[in-house]
Amino acid sequence: MFIETDYFGKIEVNEDETISFVSEIPGFPESKTFALIPYGDELPFWSLQSLEDPACAFVVTNPFWHKSDYAFELTDGAKEQLGIDEAEHVSVYAIVTLREPFDASTLNLKAPIVIETKERRGKQVILDDVYPARFPLGGQKEEVR
């Protein structure tokens, strides 16, 4: 199927690879179905693009590449909503807040995007005060403002 995006223009996505969110990403109630679009073969970033709204897209990355000891436990309710039976069927992404210069950009480790990869269900989970909402891509902890 073809979708419109603000960043990539009109592109084709495989409907079998879309992700259905079981609850809204806070602030974006109309966007329930997304596609992960790579920014390039050499870049560790994707666009989590809404299929419903061309302007709704988030830059995401694998948080474990930036904080190797990142770990959290999903609640039983979140596991049930996503249909998670086995850890190997889970992908985790962190939303990136882009800043100038780029090395000032941050990851939101407090609210990761969790995707169950077999049925392709997603959810943004809000973690307790364990991780910051602004964690520098370079790895040093920044105060949340």
Side-chain angles (χ1 to χ4, degrees), residues 52-68:
E52 292 89 2
D53 180 359
C56 180
F58 305 93
V59 176
V60 297
T61 190
N62 182 327
F64 304 101
W65 294 342
H66 304 277
K67 182 164 178 49
S68 61

Side-chain angles (χ1 to χ4, degrees), residues 8-55:
F8 298 101
K10 187 174 186 176
I11 61 168
E12 186 172 12
V13 296
N14 184 338
E15 195 166 350
D16 294 340
E17 294 178 0
T18 61
I19 302 154
S20 298
F21 272 62
V22 297
S23 59
E24 73 180 59
I25 293 178
F28 301 90
E30 302 302 319
S31 294
K32 298 283 190 185
T33 309
F34 289 82
L36 275 171
I37 304 165
Y39 278 103
D41 294 336
E42 302 292 319
L43 297 174
F45 300 98
W46 294 264
S47 176
L48 183 63
Q49 174 67 55
S50 167
L51 274 58
E52 292 89 2
D53 180 359

Side-chain angles (χ1 to χ4, degrees), residues 5 35-36 52 76 82 97 109 127-128 143:
T5 72
L36 275 171
E52 292 89 2
D76 289 340
L82 292 167
T97 300
L109 297 181
L127 305 176
D128 291 331
E143 291 298 315

